[in-house]
Amino acid sequence: MTDTAGVAGHADTAAREWWELLAQGRLCLQRCAGCGTAQHPPGPICRSCHRRDHLAFVDHDRRAQLVSATQVQQSPHPAFADRVPYWLMLVHLGCGAHTLALLPDPPAGVALAPGRTGTVQPGQVDGSPTLAFYPDTAVGAQTASETDTTADVDHGDTRAGAHHD
Amino acid sequence: MTERRATITGVADTPLGKLPGHSTQDLAVMAAEAAVGDAGLGWDAVDGLLTTPPLVGAFPRHAAVLAETLGISAQLRHAGTVSMGGASSLHALVTATELVRTRRCRAVLFVAADTPRTGQRRADSVGAFAAMRHPVWEQPYGLSNVSAYALLAQAYLWRHRLPDDALSSLPVPLRAHAQTNPSAVYRDRLNRDDVRFSRMVSSPLRLLECSPVCDGGAAFVVTDTTAARADMPDIALVAHGQAATFDSVSFGGDLSATGAELSAHRALQAWGHRSQDADVALLYDSYSITLAVLLEALGLCPPGAAGEFAGDGGLGLDGPLPVNPHGGLLSHAHCGGAAGVHHVTEAVRQLRGTAANQVHNARTALLHAEGGILSTHATAVLQAA
C-alpha cells in the first residue's frame, strides 16, 4: 500500500490489498461467500463466521448513505493541520459495511442529513489514497439514488473480484 | 480453599492541575505512598501492584519500573500494567479484588498518574491522543479522538432527532459540583450558554463539552478484610461487568451500539438490582456525549433524553442519584492516561462518608468507565458494609 502515515506495520494482508486496490482507483468490499457477510474494514478472517477461505474482494458500486459527519476545526495530524476546517464523514456502503470518508466539496445548499445519498470515490491527501464522499445534489438524482440504495449494492458481482488468500 | 473477603482500604489523590517540576513518576510515587499510608499498611505488606501506562513518561513494562522505583519488586506476587484506556482503573479494581479473594495476594496497590499538561508540549499531548486512532483505517483521514467522539455525537443527535446543542446541558451540573469541591481543577461558574457558545472543536462538540487534561494521579489499595482499617467501613466490589463491541469507530458500524449496554447489563444482572437503586454514580465523562451514552445505557434516563435529564437536575447532588459529585473528568480532573482513577477514589470517599460533596447516607456506588472511543467498558457496584 502507499504508506499513508507510516502504517504499513499495522496493516494485515487484506488491509494492504484493499489500499493497493484503492490506489489503483478501485473501491472494493470484502465479501465472505461462506456466510454472505460484507465486511469493512477487511480482515484476515470473516468476523461473522470466522472462516478465511471464502473471502474475496468485490467491486463496490460506490453508492453510499451518510451516517454521521463532523466538521473538524483543528487537527493534530500534519497532513490535515492546514486543511481545517474540513468535513469528515461516516458513510454506509450497504450490507452493514461502513467507512470513513472526506467531504472535499461541501455542496452549497445541500443539508447534511442522515441517510443522504451520494457517491464515494478514491481521493488523495498529500499523495496518499483516501475515500471521498460526494452527496447527490440535484433533487432528481437524490430520488433516483435513494431507489438505487434501497436496492442495495451488488456484492455478488465477482467479475473483478480479487481473491486475497 | 475458602475465598477471602476483599475491601478497598486505602485511597489517595495527588494535587491536580498544572504541576511543573513533578514528573509522572513523582506523582505516581506520591499517590502510592499516600494510599498505602491511608490503608494503614507498611510497604512490606504490599504484594500486588497494578498500574496503567501514562501519556508522558511511560516505560516498557511500566508496572515493573514503578515497582523498582518503589523498592518492592521482589515482594510482589503479582504485577501488571492495565492498558484499557479510561476503563483501566475499573478493570484494575476487579483484578485486584480477585487477586485478594483468591488468596494470590493480600494487598494490591493500584497507581495511576500522568503529566499531559506540563510534562510535554501541549501539541505533543494532543498528538498522543490522535495517535490512538487506528493507524490503517482512521489516521489516513486525520481522525482525532475528539472527532471520533464527534462522529458518535452527531450520529446520536441525528438518531434521536435532537438539535445540535442538545448535549450542552451535561457539563453544567458537573461544574456546579466542582464549585464546592476544593480539589477540583475547574471551579468557575458555568451555564448552558457558556457551553453552547464556546468554540467549536469538531462539530457538534464544542470546547466546554470536552474535558481538559491536567497533571495528577491517584491510587487505591485492596486488601482482605482482616488487614483493613478498623475505623473505616469495608468497601466491597459486589458486582461488575465488562464489554466491548468495537475498539475503533471504523469497526463500529453505525455507532448505535457500544459496549456500554452490554457491560451495564452484565453488572446489573450480577447485582440483581436496577441502576437507580444505587446511592451515587461515578460515570466516565470525557465528553458530553460519553456521559449521555452511559446514562442511557445504565437505564438512568430514556434513549435520547440524557440532555434533558441533565438539564432537569437529573445529575444533581439533591437528585435521586447524584452523578459525579466531585465534578467528573469535565470539571474535577482528566489526568491523561490516569483518567478514571478519581471516579474510584471519589466513590470510596462517598462510601466512607468523607467526600467534599457528601451524598447523604451513601452506601452503594455505581461506577461505569470506558476507554478509547466508548470502546472498552467496565461497570462496577461498590458497597459499604
Side-chain angles (χ1 to χ4, degrees):
Chain A
M1 67 186 283
T2 305
D3 197 352
T4 48
V7 302
H10 288 93
D12 54 47
T13 305
R16 283 200 300 276
E17 189 171 352
W18 188 89
W19 283 102
E20 279 162 12
L21 289 167
L22 190 73
Q24 295 163 18
R26 286 177 57 188
L27 171 60
C28 293
L29 265 192
Q30 191 183 39
R31 182 184 169 89
C32 175
C35 70
T37 298
Q39 65 181 11
H40 189 80
I45 65 169
C46 172
R47 294 191 288 276
S48 185
C49 73
H50 306 110
R51 294 166 66 176
R52 62 161 66 229
D53 51 351
H54 289 91
L55 290 172
F57 282 113
V58 295
D59 282 293
H60 187 266
D61 70 356
R62 306 195 172 192
R63 298 298 298 161
Q65 282 183 299
L66 182 57
V67 173
S68 191
T70 182
Q71 190 180 32
V72 182
Q73 300 290 335
Q74 59 189 56
S75 175
H77 293 277
F80 289 86
D82 296 334
R83 292 171 183 265
V84 293
Y86 74 95
W87 282 95
L88 189 54
M89 333 294 285
L90 178 71
V91 299
H92 185 210
L93 297 169
C95 293
H98 293 73
T99 183
L100 294 177
L102 300 170
L103 181 75
D105 303 306
V110 176
L112 294 175
R116 174 158 290 282
T117 56
T119 305
V120 278
Q121 301 286 356
Q124 285 203 338
V125 172
D126 280 4
S128 297
T130 54
L131 279 177
F133 179 69
Y134 296 90
D136 299 326
T137 48
V139 175
Q142 173 73 9
T143 308
S145 63
E146 276 171 353
T147 309
D148 291 345
T149 305
T150 308
D152 221 330
V153 291
D154 181 10
H155 300 289
D157 182 0
T158 55
R159 69 202 133 106
H163 293 269
H164 85 268
D165 54 5
Chain B
M1 192 184 290
T2 55
E3 282 201 345
R4 284 185 177 136
R5 289 172 57 219
T7 175
I8 307 174
T9 190
V11 290
D13 296 354
T14 69
L16 302 165
K18 290 169 77 169
L19 304 171
H22 291 81
S23 73
T24 294
Q25 201 76 326
D26 289 332
L27 294 173
V29 172
M30 193 188 298
E33 283 178 311
V36 171
D38 186 59
L41 298 174
W43 278 109
D44 56 348
V46 176
D47 60 358
L49 177 68
L50 297 170
T51 188
T52 184
L55 297 178
V56 180
F59 292 93
R61 306 173 304 284
H62 198 72
V65 172
L66 182 58
E68 81 183 348
T69 304
L70 292 168
I72 57 172
S73 301
Q75 72 200 51
L76 294 179
R77 295 169 188 276
H78 182 96
T81 307
V82 184
S83 183
M84 298 296 267
S88 296
S89 296
L90 273 194
H91 276 265
L93 175 60
V94 171
T95 302
T97 298
E98 289 177 348
L99 286 167
V100 170
R101 281 181 180 160
T102 57
R103 296 177 176 260
R104 287 176 60 199
C105 294
R106 282 205 72 160
V108 181
L109 169 67
F110 174 73
V111 187
D114 205 351
T115 49
R117 189 76 170 84
T118 64
Q120 64 185 11
R121 292 185 310 130
R122 187 179 171 282
D124 291 336
S125 287
V126 174
F129 280 105
M132 295 175 189
R133 297 300 87 237
H134 199 295
V136 178
W137 300 110
E138 299 183 338
Q139 291 188 35
Y141 295 94
L143 187 73
S144 61
N145 270 20
V146 59
S147 293
Y149 276 99
L151 287 174
L152 266 156
Q154 188 61 68
Y156 169 93
L157 294 175
W158 279 348
R159 193 162 61 248
H160 297 294
R161 300 175 187 279
L162 295 168
D164 288 348
D165 64 352
L167 298 170
S168 60
S169 55
L170 285 148
V172 176
L174 304 183
R175 179 60 60 85
H177 298 173
Q179 284 187 287
T180 50
N181 180 4
S183 70
V185 176
Y186 294 91
R187 283 176 282 167
D188 296 339
R189 284 174 61 89
L190 185 77
N191 62 38
R192 191 172 173 191
D193 278 348
D194 295 330
V195 180
R196 194 161 24 199
F197 298 118
S198 62
R199 176 166 60 81
M200 190 68 86
V201 179
S202 192
S203 68
L205 293 179
R206 292 178 180 274
L207 186 67
L208 295 177
E209 295 178 75
C210 312
S211 45
V213 295
C214 68
D215 304 327
F220 58 78
V221 180
V222 177
T223 68
D224 74 272
T225 49
T226 62
R229 280 173 66 169
D231 59 336
M232 287 290 175
D234 286 338
I235 294 169
L237 175 71
V238 296
H240 66 91
Q242 297 174 3
T245 54
F246 59 81
D247 189 65
S248 298
V249 296
S250 294
F251 288 78
D254 67 1
L255 305 180
S256 64
T258 72
E261 291 85 355
L262 203 51
S263 177
H265 174 75
R266 287 170 178 164
L268 294 174
Q269 195 170 48
W271 187 31
H273 294 271
R274 300 177 319 143
S275 52
Q276 287 88 345
D277 295 333
D279 300 313
V280 60
L282 281 305
L283 309 181
Y284 204 79
D285 57 324
S286 49
Y287 297 87
S288 56
I289 181 62
T290 317
L291 185 53
V293 168
L294 299 189
L295 287 166
E296 295 170 17
L298 287 160
L300 292 170
C301 65
E308 196 179 346
F309 180 72
D312 290 344
L315 314 184
L317 294 172
D318 49 2
L321 179 59
V323 174
N324 296 352
H326 61 318
L329 299 169
L330 281 162
S331 281
H332 173 262
H334 182 305
C335 301
V341 69
H342 296 105
H343 285 68
V344 179
T345 56
E346 171 69 9
V348 171
R349 279 190 289 269
Q350 288 288 343
L351 298 179
R352 285 177 168 184
T354 61
N357 293 318
Q358 182 61 46
V359 173
H360 179 65
N361 202 26
R363 312 292 300 167
T364 305
L366 173 67
L367 296 93
H368 189 117
E370 62 92 10
I373 311 298
L374 284 156
S375 312
T376 56
H377 292 263
T379 315
V381 180
L382 297 180
Q383 215 153 46

